[in-house]
Each structure stands twice: as C-alpha cells, then as structure tokens.
Amino acid sequence: MAKRITKRSDDYSQWYLDVVKEAQLAEHSPVRGSMVIRPTGMALWENMRNALDQMFKDTGHENAYFPLFIPKSFLSKEAQHVEGFAKECAVVTHSRLKSVDGGVEVDPDSRLEEELIVRPTSETIIWDTYRNWIQSYRDLPILVNQWANVVRWEMRTRLFLRTMEFLWQEGHTAHATKEEAVEETLQMLEIYRTFAEEFMAMPVVTGVKTASERFAGAEDTYCIEALMQDGKALQAGTSHFLGQNFAKAFEVTFQDKDGDHKLVWATSWGVSTRLIGGLIMTHSDDNGLVLPPKLAPRQIVIVPIYRSDEEREMVLAYGESLLNELKEHGIRAHMDTRDTYKPGFKFAEHEARGIPLRIAIGPRDVENNKVEWARRDTLSKEITEREGLGARAAELLNTIQQDLYDRALARRSEMTSEVETYEEFKEVLEQKGGFIYAHWDGTAETEERIKNETKATIRCIPLTEATPGTCMVTGKASKQKVLFARAY
RNA sequence: CGGGGAGUGGCGCAGUCCGGUAGCGCAUUCGCUUUGGGAGCGAAGGGUCGCAGGUUCAAAUCCUGUCUCCCCGACCA
C-alpha cells in the first residue's frame, strides 16, 4: 500500500498536515480555524500539562480558574493591551435563540446590555479580581496559574500552530517589588526552557522580544524560540514582565510595611497547544510522528506475531508477561492484540503514531526467550534476551530521549549562521534559512525595513554575553548580535 | 481580509467544459485462506455530489449567494 504521508522534501506543509492526521492527533472541525483534538493528541497535551503543572507547583504556584467571558469594558482599560487584541476578539452580543419554522435565529430581544468578550487572554479579568484580593504586602505575592481555552479570531490558521480556539496555561502573578516580578518572569522563562529541552527534547534560545514583537501591555516579553526542520523559527513560549501597567489600569494597590500605598508589579506567562506543532516539526520524519519518550502517551507497543490459535495463545501469554514487567518499571506499555490486522500494518501504524519503541514477538522469540526491539527514531532493530527486559526498556527510552535532543541540537547548530553584512544576511536567508545572528542598531525602523525586505523578523535579543559591533544595515552602533529568522 | 486551488460514500479521486438521474481505488461487513514490514479471493452494505436559492421536462454538471479546507500575502502564540 502506498505511503499516506507526503514527503517533507515534496511539500513540508502538506507533510505536517499528513502527520497530524495519520498520528490521529487532531482534525478540522466544521468551524473555521477550530480543531477537534483527538484522544491521542489530548493524551499528549495532558502529559505536557502534567509535567509543566508539577514544575509550576514546585515553584509555589497554585491553579485557579477565571471566566471565559470578559465584560467588554475591561478590555479597554489598558490602552496598549486593547490595541493588541481588539482586532481578534469574539464578541457575545445576545443570550437567546428562538425557533423559526424548522430552524433557529438569534432573538433580537435578547441583546446584552454590555457585550461579553470571549477571552483572548485573561489579564483584564484577573487584575480586576486581584484588586479585591490585595490590600497589604502580606497578601503578596500572588502566584496563580490557570489551564484554559482562549479564542483569537485569526485570519489564517494551521492545526496546533495557530487555531482560533486553543488550550494553554496562563500564569498571572502579583509582587510587591519590581525585582521580585522580574525574577519571577525569568524563573518562568527558565522553566519553559527546561521543559522544552528535557521533556520535548527541543532545544530553544531564550531571549527578550523587541518592542514591536512585545506582548500588548508588557514592559518586557521574554521568549523561548525553537528552530523547525524546515529552517523556520517557532515561538514556543512567552513570559512577560508587565511592570505596573495592569496595576495602574485596574487600580491594584497595597499598603507596604512603610505604610505607603503602592502599585503592585505583575507578570504573566504562557505556553499553548502550539507546543504540539513544535514537537511534530522538531522530530518527526517521512514515516510520521516521532515522540520523545517522556511525553509519549504510549512509550512501548508490543506487537504479537502468530499463525495458529496455539501460537496466538503462546505469544500473547509471553506478551502479557513482558507487559507486566514493563509496567512494573513504570513504563507506559501497550500490547496490540487486535486480531484483524497483520503485523506489518501494525508496524506502519504505530510508526505513524510516533510510539518510541516497538517490541515484536513471535513463536521463535517465545521459544528462544528473546525480544525484538525497534526504535522509532532511528528505525533500527535489535534482538536481545528476554532477561532484563524492564531495565533494557528504560535504558532504551532514555537513550532515545537523549538522542532526539542531541540530533535536534545538532540540526539547529548546523542551521544557525552568524553574519556581518546585510548582503551576507540575505544570501544565507535565501540559501539556507535557519537562525541568523547579526548586529542591529536597535531601532524599529531598521527592524521594519529588514522585515519588509526579507520577511525575516528579530526572534529575540538573546540573553547571552553582549559583544558590541555595528548594525549590518545602517552601520550604526549595536550592543550585541540579535537572532533573526523567518517564523511561523 | 486580498490572490490562487479545492469540496462527489469513512479516506483519496474520476465525472462538471458539452445537463439525461453517480462511478473507481482504498477502507467497512460476512465467508474462506492468511499472519516476522501496510495480505488474497469471493460476496455484501454505504453517497439528497459542502449548504441555500435560481434556470430547466431534467442539475454533481449552468447561474447567484454562502460555508469550510489547502497554498501565497497582510495580521498573529
């Protein structure tokens, strides 16, 4: 049977869509730009969520839940913020339908006095709430996160990478001092970096956004930027130092030890289901999805092979014992006992779905007390003794996790360039793509010019040692090289 | 939101130009044979042709509107 997945070299966008579909992660819904996340995709998101949630809890954060609907007036309280989101808000204007010969229509009598906005992000309603929670320095800090869905009315959508409704977490913290808020912002950035690298096996560059790429309402936006296989960058997470902007807009003050009333300092930070898109485009190949073991809903699948009923019974019993041992080692293992598919079909299917390790067992293996392992990432096979199965499995999963990261890092290094002149910059961008470090004079004008002329944007100003130089475009002074790329 | 392409059983497509009452492959169901890399043969089921109007004796096909998807652009996590 023909491959169902378009080759990356033929059409990268189509390949991405094919992988999402064949791995059964998600599909389009009847509503424009909105997706159905299928059980496999949701299980993957849940694993990401659980890991992140634990990291948040370990750093003193608590979960809460704020409403989906935000009064329209709240959005207009912070000027920058409104401007950033005004163009992509879903608005609820009515509260009722009425039946009209066989169908329904909006009941004009049910018009809301004040329209409700479906949250594009929750800063406004949260800060309106925090005003009541905060009186004294003793009430600070407030370290709250919420797991929620948000809606942004996007013009152009792609599964996971940009959908009108998506799942995410948004952390919102309030602090007595600027230093503490900045520290929180950077701490969460570091958590995102750790998560991306250790769980997703996806190397990222941490940095701060330029003014034009900054979150609406933030003083500083920090980010993690990853590089996809096709040489385009993906913003994978953001952490914002909000200064006192929302405190001012929502009049959130506290009485400090010295008796003075002061405005609180704020942060917010988030990652979304977009991470799944990043995960796909970091590791997957022409056979389908490749998942890092730490996040894979199923880490190992056992495929039994048999002819007769006697063989079936024997092989399945052997498989059960393997399954039990794997589970005792805390491994998420599954045996594919479906009787109506041939092993070859199962191999291909589990590969498309990205299960990191496959164990195939047949009558020969049962007789010789062996197992055949197949790694999803390298597509390599080996046969070992059954003895020590659990330990071997754990070791292989660790190796795969590490190898995925190493390969992604090597690819990124290979796809990262450093240039001195604008000519060189344009050439590298056209020929090779990827991350490009170059000097920039720090002005929005130059940034805009580069973007218009090359479609490359400044992904971030990296948080590394700054070596001064001169701007590749204007020749003016530059504090340090910044990271450019074409981006998703 | 602008430009281009596309919507026909679950999936992929032909049929549309030139109107005549829907077909192919895969998948599904049943039977038999199979099973170490996407099984074979036989039989069966399944579609108001995205949706809504219009033209016509007759519409998948022509006209108008509308929704959704893909690609490119502007905007954005």
Side-chain angles (χ1 to χ4, degrees):
Chain A
M1 181 180 287
K3 282 263 178 70
R4 296 169 186 175
I5 298 173
T6 305
K7 283 193 167 72
R8 282 169 293 183
S9 54
D10 289 348
D11 184 343
Y12 196 81
S13 296
Q14 191 57 48
W15 165 82
Y16 175 82
L17 292 167
D18 289 347
V19 170
V20 170
K21 184 180 161 201
E22 290 301 319
Q24 298 175 33
L25 297 176
E27 59 193 37
H28 291 286
S29 77
V31 182
R32 182 175 74 82
S34 303
M35 64 180 168
V36 173
I37 302 178
R38 302 186 60 173
T40 307
M42 198 59 192
L44 179 57
W45 176 241
E46 282 170 343
N47 284 347
M48 295 172 123
R49 198 175 66 185
N50 291 342
L52 281 164
D53 201 60
Q54 191 57 54
M55 293 167 96
F56 298 158
K57 302 258 171 73
D58 288 347
T59 44
H61 301 86
E62 298 176 293
N63 285 329
Y65 187 79
F66 294 86
L68 172 69
F69 299 123
I70 299 175
K72 190 177 74 177
S73 57
F74 282 25
L75 261 298
S76 57
K77 289 194 178 175
E78 210 290 325
Q80 293 300 111
H81 192 63
V82 202
E83 206 174 312
F85 287 103
K87 282 178 286 185
E88 48 187 51
C89 287
V91 184
V92 179
T93 56
H94 291 77
S95 66
R96 267 203 309 272
L97 297 174
K98 63 177 184 183
S99 302
V100 183
D101 51 13
V104 285
E105 69 178 29
V106 173
D107 184 345
D109 294 338
S110 70
R111 182 153 196 110
L112 302 183
E113 217 163 284
E114 179 177 2
E115 286 102 345
L116 297 171
I117 310 302
V118 180
R119 62 182 166 217
T121 179
S122 304
E123 272 77 5
T124 57
I125 195 148
I126 286 178
W127 282 94
D128 183 74
T129 306
Y130 281 3
R131 181 179 56 242
N132 297 321
W133 289 4
I134 299 167
Q135 315 289 333
S136 150
Y137 70 93
R138 294 187 187 92
D139 299 323
L140 296 170
I142 289 180
L143 304 173
V144 164
N145 175 65
Q146 83 164 340
W147 292 94
N149 57 339
V150 286
V151 168
R152 297 180 187 176
W153 213 262
E154 298 289 348
M155 291 305 166
R156 192 174 164 190
T157 60
R158 301 189 71 184
L159 292 173
F160 291 115
L161 295 173
R162 176 164 295 105
T163 46
M164 294 220 303
E165 177 186 5
F166 56 94
L167 304 183
W168 78 343
Q169 58 70 214
E170 46 181 325
H172 296 273
T173 69
H175 307 266
T177 66
K178 177 180 180 180
E179 292 66 35
E180 199 182 306
V182 170
E183 194 182 324
E184 166 78 3
T185 309
L186 292 171
Q187 172 186 253
M188 299 323 289
L189 182 72
E190 186 58 18
I191 282 177
Y192 289 154
R193 189 189 65 73
T194 304
F195 174 76
E197 297 185 348
E198 291 186 7
F199 285 85
M200 297 176 68
M202 181 174 80
V204 293
V205 172
T206 56
V208 62
K209 288 287 187 189
T210 62
S212 67
E213 300 270 332
R214 195 180 288 154
F215 173 73
E219 295 283 312
D220 279 311
T221 289
Y222 295 85
C223 62
I224 54 172
E225 290 283 328
L227 187 63
M228 304 294 100
Q229 294 170 350
D230 63 345
K232 287 170 79 174
L234 183 77
Q235 177 175 308
T238 50
S239 182
H240 314 289
F241 169 61
L242 300 174
Q244 295 176 310
N245 294 339
F246 286 92
K248 278 179 204 151
F250 289 87
E251 298 173 316
V252 184
T253 59
F254 68 99
Q255 195 168 15
D256 208 348
K257 288 173 190 167
D258 55 20
D260 288 348
H261 289 271
K262 297 174 181 172
L263 289 165
V264 303
W265 297 84
T267 81
S268 70
W269 26 275
V271 295
S272 71
T273 37
R274 173 179 246 204
L275 287 178
I276 294 177
L279 193 63
I280 294 166
M281 290 195 290
T282 299
H283 304 301
S284 301
D285 63 20
D286 289 348
N287 294 317
L289 188 64
V290 175
L291 288 175
K294 283 190 185 175
L295 294 175
R298 282 175 180 168
Q299 297 171 307
I300 298 184
V301 63
I302 300 174
V303 177
I305 300 162
Y306 47 81
R307 289 188 178 79
S308 61
D309 280 352
E310 300 84 75
E311 281 185 357
R312 178 171 188 274
E313 203 173 314
M314 176 178 80
V315 172
L316 288 186
Y318 187 67
E320 275 308 323
S321 78
L322 301 186
L323 201 55
N324 288 336
E325 182 170 345
L326 292 171
K327 286 182 176 168
E328 278 165 22
H329 278 75
I331 292 166
R332 297 188 288 274
H334 167 77
M335 180 155 65
D336 187 350
T337 56
R338 290 175 301 173
D339 206 19
T340 48
Y341 294 95
K342 291 182 67 174
F345 178 89
K346 294 180 181 177
F347 291 174
E349 187 182 64
H350 295 302
E351 263 163 28
R353 300 183 67 172
I355 299 180
L357 258 185
R358 177 183 75 232
I359 292 176
I361 46 167
R364 284 206 303 268
D365 303 304
V366 177
E367 232 159 82
N368 302 324
N369 228 21
K370 307 249 181 190
V371 289
E372 182 199 76
W373 308 82
R375 279 176 63 163
R376 174 63 186 91
D377 61 328
T378 57
L379 299 171
S380 59
K381 291 184 193 172
E382 66 172 11
I383 294 174
T384 68
E385 298 294 330
R386 184 226 185 283
E387 187 67 31
L389 173 93
R392 177 67 184 144
E395 184 194 335
L396 269 172
L397 290 173
N398 280 335
T399 305
I400 291 169
Q401 181 81 31
Q402 186 62 44
D403 286 358
L404 285 175
Y405 179 78
D406 291 345
R407 274 197 297 276
L409 185 62
R411 190 184 328 107
R412 190 188 73 181
S413 303
E414 201 236 310
M415 294 288 284
T416 299
S417 311
E418 219 174 309
V419 303
E420 303 303 327
T421 68
Y422 195 30
E423 283 310 307
E424 206 184 335
F425 177 84
K426 286 188 265 196
E427 195 183 315
V428 171
L429 193 64
E430 284 309 317
Q431 305 292 315
K432 189 175 171 184
F435 279 160
I436 307 176
Y437 286 96
H439 278 296
W440 160 65
D441 64 16
T443 67
E445 293 71 36
T446 305
E447 183 183 13
E448 179 74 10
R449 181 180 155 192
I450 295 169
K451 184 179 173 182
N452 289 338
E453 291 177 357
T454 68
K455 296 188 180 90
T457 50
I458 299 177
R459 301 317 305 154
C460 68
I461 302 163
L463 303 177
T464 47
E465 290 276 315
T467 309
T470 55
C471 174
M472 64 171 174
V473 177
T474 62
K476 291 184 196 160
S478 157
K479 286 184 198 143
Q480 71 176 102
K481 281 187 172 160
V482 299
L483 183 63
F484 287 90
R486 287 185 180 144
Y488 275 99

